[in-house]
Amino acid sequence: MLGVLFAVLTLAPAAFGCGVPAYPPLVSRVVGGEDARPYSWPWQASLQYRSNGKWYHTCGGTLIATNWVLTAAHCISSFMTYRVFLGKYNLAVEEKGSIALSPEKIIVNENWNPEDVANGYDIALIKLSEHVTLSDQIELACLPPAQSILPSNTACYVTGWGRLQTNGPLPDDLQQGLLLVVDYATCSEPSWWGDIVKPTMVCAGGDGITSSCNGDSGGPLNCQGADGRWEVHGIVSFGSSLGCNYFQKPSVFTRVSAYNSWIEQVMATN
């Protein structure tokens, strides 16, 4: 089956499969965040909430099926009304080809405890009210192989509309930031995150320069597989209360490969 799928992908990468953007991202080695190439992360979603008749970006998300978006459990509140915006680059302007959909249902991992983020399980799935039509602007990210662990110093990209720095402004244009994976053995050392970080998480960054920040939550850690396709290896979960780019306090992500079976089960039964 994989051989067949790959044949389809090589014939028409933009139209089928996952993880192959029609507009490939410009993956430079710029330190610090930068504007992404428009629509080069076409699975990136903006989760927005309604307040006083207006919509506001609150978190990121990742389109993993035509009617399912992956995000963080801590992004979800039962008191909020949400919509999911897909095909967006600049949140401040109308963009042809983008679409806003209401959730049909939102499933938060049953083990998530909002009082204890460090316990893990910071993962949720949003079922969209309808299937989206995939396009050059809206495509699926691939899920990583179950239980796969990225080696230290793997170069990945965090993407989102989060703050440009601690307490800084929110950008209109989608940002990308190069982050190097920090293995669990290092990240769990006392001078790093210690026992706050769990094996079901991924650490990336910690150089004191580039990190995720408020508003990036729920969005993807994009890492390129050996076949060139982009996989969502992480969901932005938490960072240091000391600031977004704190030395030896890398961004911490829910490790998606620890939850493949949960994701598949939720999508199959809902």
Side-chain angles (χ1 to χ4, degrees), residues 44-57:
Q44 174 82 44
S46 167
L47 181 63
Q48 304 185 347
Y49 67 93
R50 192 172 175 82
S51 176
N52 298 324
K54 284 183 161 178
W55 291 99
Y56 297 92
H57 170 84

Side-chain angles (χ1 to χ4, degrees), residues 20 23 47 53 57 67 81-82 106 108 118 130 138 144 153 158 174 184 207 211 217 225 229 231 235 249:
V20 186
Y23 308 103
L47 181 63
H57 170 84
N67 62 334
T81 300
Y82 293 105
I106 300 176
V108 171
E130 60 188 81
I138 301 173
N153 288 322
V158 63
L174 182 66
Y184 173 71
D207 59 4
S211 76
S217 284
R229 296 190 296 176
E231 298 168 345
I235 302 165
K249 290 291 181 284

